[in-house]
Amino acid sequence: MEKKIAIAGTGYRAVTMFGRMLAKYGSEHRARIVALYDPNPVRMQAAQRLMNTEAALYDDFDRMLRESGCNTVLVTTVDRFHDEYIVRALKAGYDVVTEKPLTTDAEKLTRILQAERDSGHRVTVTFNYRYAPYATAIKEFLASGRLGRIATVQFEWYLDTVHGADYFRRWHRKVANSGSLWVHKATHHFDLVNWWLNQEPEEVFARASRQVYGDQGGVRGERCSTCSVKDACAFAFDWSDPVLVALYREAEHVDGYWRDGCVFSDQIDIWDTMTGSVAYSGGTVMNYALHAYTPFEGYRAIFTGTQGRLECGVLETVIPEGTTTFLERVQHRVSPDAAPATFPLASDGTDRFVFYPVFGGAEVIEVPRTIEGHGGGDERMVLHWLDADAPDPLSHRAGTRAGAYSILTGIAARESVAARRPVSIGSLVDLSLLN
Ligand SMILES: NC(=O)c1ccc[n+]([C@@H]2O[C@H](COP(=O)([O-])OP(=O)(O)OC[C@H]3O[C@@H](n4cnc5c(N)ncnc54)[C@H](O)[C@@H]3O)[C@@H](O)[C@H]2O)c1
């Protein structure tokens, strides 16, 4: 059956990932975008142009469902609204594919789980990082059992001052919109760990702070475009990308959505520094850290088991010495020469991780480097979605159960930060809804 896709939320992700992928692979896989919905008509028209699609434009989501002839709904709106569109689409009788995070808090999650159960339709969550060849190779290795019983995971994620700063410019900067980076960003990381270990989180103890952005930097202006100190600011936004201009600057008069909000705004209430400990159903304990202002971007994951230790790490970007402006960092953020000696950026076309058996030795596992969207995950994920009959031996496909457990870890972390005590996952939702 041809996939006729209706998209809710026509921003950057819809255009630059799904739009491009469907333009490239849609006809071969019998899938096309038939309708777009976004409350900002100027952004929606720009999206239609940029995606080079003749999809019909709607200013009413329910009418789109009734009239467009779609059979699949793709949700790519702001995180806080995911639940609205997922639930309405399920109730109207559609399968849904949603961007991560599934949603932002436990009450919204409960509504989604109940609607999925009542409707009999399915929600797929787009965990693209699972599909990155490196993450897949870790999954394969751990599934082999060679580590023995996995006692601990050390997992650090690094966001640099290009990508990391971006979350402090716009809607993500408010917990109410994104659930904070504990949910918006860490949903990827918590999902990877759940999937890698084949375990579920049970309890979280966390701390978080703002060290660089928000009130830490002193308020400078509301937005870069009109800021009097922008020429001296290392974070001043750069508008040279025409896609950003079309989607945001030319559409901002409609809804007041600024793409270049000040990263030092005192309106920011998310954290840029997050650490926590997560206990899992199989007895593993993870120590996790996320920083949004590091000199490089990527992650390190170390698994210690009764039979050995697996040391993994991917470096996606490195900021070279001497970059003073945001634009310079955007242009030069992949610099193998500047990579830390302990964590080199692969310049020979491979990434690698190392298995150290407990009684000595080292085995290097090489993985071809993929630098395209999210470590090569985006394209592989879309192709797997489009080919419903493709085998799934490592369980890459993810639904609400995985979507829920990954955000529940972050929601529990948020509560733990506020309450200064461990928070159990079972205290947040009725876990029987996940069976
Ligand atoms: N999987 C990934 O790696 C990845 C990467 C980037 C973004 N995302 C996700 O994609 C989604 C969109 O992110 P983005 O960067 O494109 O954001 P964006 O701000 O560019 O786009 C969001 C769109 O939602 C629209 N919108 C605002 N309020 C709405 C409402 N009430 N109802 C419907 N639409 C509304 C906006 O007008 C905008 O067009 C987010 O959920 C984000 O987490 C995922």
Side-chain angles (χ1 to χ4, degrees):
M1 186 178 68
E2 186 185 25
K3 259 192 181 35
K4 296 181 194 159
I5 302 160
I7 302 184
T10 61
Y12 198 78
R13 185 70 176 161
V15 169
T16 64
M17 207 289 272
F18 287 103
R20 279 183 195 158
M21 291 294 166
L22 288 165
K24 190 168 169 189
Y25 295 114
S27 56
E28 183 189 331
H29 290 269
R30 302 197 62 230
R32 68 191 161 94
I33 304 169
V34 296
L36 304 177
Y37 162 73
D38 197 286
N40 185 324
V42 177
R43 183 171 304 115
M44 181 160 61
Q45 283 157 16
Q48 186 193 39
R49 250 185 352 263
L50 290 163
M51 292 197 275
N52 197 18
T53 170
E54 288 169 7
L57 305 185
Y58 289 87
D59 60 6
D60 179 324
F61 177 74
D62 299 306
R63 192 159 64 79
M64 172 172 83
L65 297 187
R66 284 194 307 273
E67 296 178 4
S68 68
C70 68
N71 54 25
T72 303
V73 175
L74 173 60
V75 176
T76 47
T77 61
V78 170
D79 303 351
R80 74 182 289 184
F81 300 117
H82 285 188
D83 65 309
E84 272 189 35
Y85 297 105
I86 294 170
V87 169
R88 279 153 77 182
L90 286 170
K91 286 188 173 166
Y94 296 93
D95 285 340
V96 180
V97 176
T98 183
E99 258 305 347
K100 48 54 61 176
L102 176 55
T103 184
T104 50
D105 60 49
E107 293 71 33
K108 292 176 174 180
L109 174 61
T110 300
R111 285 185 59 223
I112 292 173
L113 296 173
Q114 277 166 344
E116 187 180 41
R117 181 175 277 194
D118 295 347
S119 71
H121 287 276
R122 277 207 12 228
V123 180
T124 300
V125 185
T126 58
F127 283 126
N128 44 349
Y129 265 112
R130 289 186 177 196
Y131 288 87
Y134 193 88
T136 299
I138 294 176
K139 170 78 176 169
E140 274 170 341
F141 189 91
L142 295 180
S144 75
R146 293 179 68 197
L147 277 189
R149 197 173 59 254
I150 299 173
T152 65
V153 183
Q154 309 295 321
F155 193 4
E156 269 197 87
W157 200 282
Y158 318 104
L159 295 172
D160 67 19
T161 51
V162 173
H163 187 193
D166 208 39
Y167 298 116
F168 297 82
R169 299 187 189 283
R170 47 188 181 134
W171 53 264
H172 314 70
R173 55 164 60 179
K174 303 293 288 180
V175 175
N177 290 333
S178 64
S180 81
L181 297 182
W182 276 122
V183 170
H184 175 81
K185 195 68 199 168
T187 183
H188 278 304
H189 317 152
F190 297 142
D191 175 65
L192 280 176
V193 176
N194 297 344
W195 179 63
W196 281 333
L197 298 179
N198 201 18
Q199 295 184 39
E200 273 141 13
E202 289 188 339
E203 188 179 76
V204 181
F205 185 42
R207 289 184 186 270
S209 61
R210 271 184 300 284
Q211 300 289 337
V212 171
Y213 306 109
D215 40 13
Q216 290 306 309
V219 181
R220 300 189 182 177
E222 287 188 304
R223 60 183 301 191
C224 302
S225 300
T226 54
C227 179
S228 59
V229 297
K230 67 170 181 287
D231 293 340
C233 180
F235 289 92
F237 189 70
D238 175 76
W239 280 107
S240 48
D241 179 348
V243 174
L244 296 181
V245 173
L247 284 179
Y248 304 103
R249 198 166 67 193
E250 291 175 354
E252 68 181 32
H253 63 281
V254 178
D255 55 9
Y257 174 1
W258 294 339
R259 187 64 184 72
D260 63 345
C262 178
V263 300
F264 302 115
S265 164
D266 55 7
Q267 300 299 303
I268 291 169
D269 65 3
I270 64 167
W271 304 277
D272 59 23
T273 306
M274 287 141 281
T275 57
S277 171
V278 184
Y280 289 88
S281 51
T284 303
V285 176
M286 170 173 70
N287 282 324
Y288 171 81
L290 171 61
H291 298 85
Y293 47 83
T294 44
F296 39 79
E297 178 146 327
Y299 68 90
R300 195 192 291 271
I302 299 170
F303 303 82
T304 304
T306 50
Q307 301 296 320
R309 186 173 156 97
L310 192 70
E311 299 210 351
C312 314
V314 176
L315 212 50
E316 293 178 358
T317 72
V318 180
I319 308 285
E321 192 178 352
T323 53
T324 52
T325 66
F326 180 73
L327 178 59
E328 279 178 321
R329 294 204 299 286
V330 171
Q331 289 171 334
H332 304 293
R333 64 201 271 260
V334 181
S335 170
D337 295 342
T342 51
F343 195 177
L345 187 66
S347 47
D348 62 353
T350 59
D351 282 320
R352 50 188 68 93
F353 53 86
V354 187
F355 172 51
Y356 298 96
V358 82
F359 296 118
E363 182 184 329
V364 176
I365 293 99
E366 298 203 329
V367 185
R369 170 155 267 248
T370 39
I371 51 169
E372 311 85 25
H374 297 90
D378 282 344
E379 187 163 37
R380 287 167 177 78
M381 179 191 71
V382 171
L383 287 170
H384 204 202
W385 167 43
L386 295 182
D387 187 356
D389 299 327
D392 191 15
L394 292 171
S395 303
H396 279 86
R397 289 186 209 282
T400 45
R401 186 180 174 91
Y405 272 116
S406 70
I407 59 166
L408 285 168
T409 314
I411 293 167
R414 248 174 27 209
E415 282 207 21
S416 175
V417 170
R420 294 179 160 258
R421 60 168 174 77
V423 172
S424 80
I425 299 294
S427 70
L428 301 172
V429 288
D430 173 2
L431 292 179
S432 71
L433 284 169
L434 293 171
N435 293 330

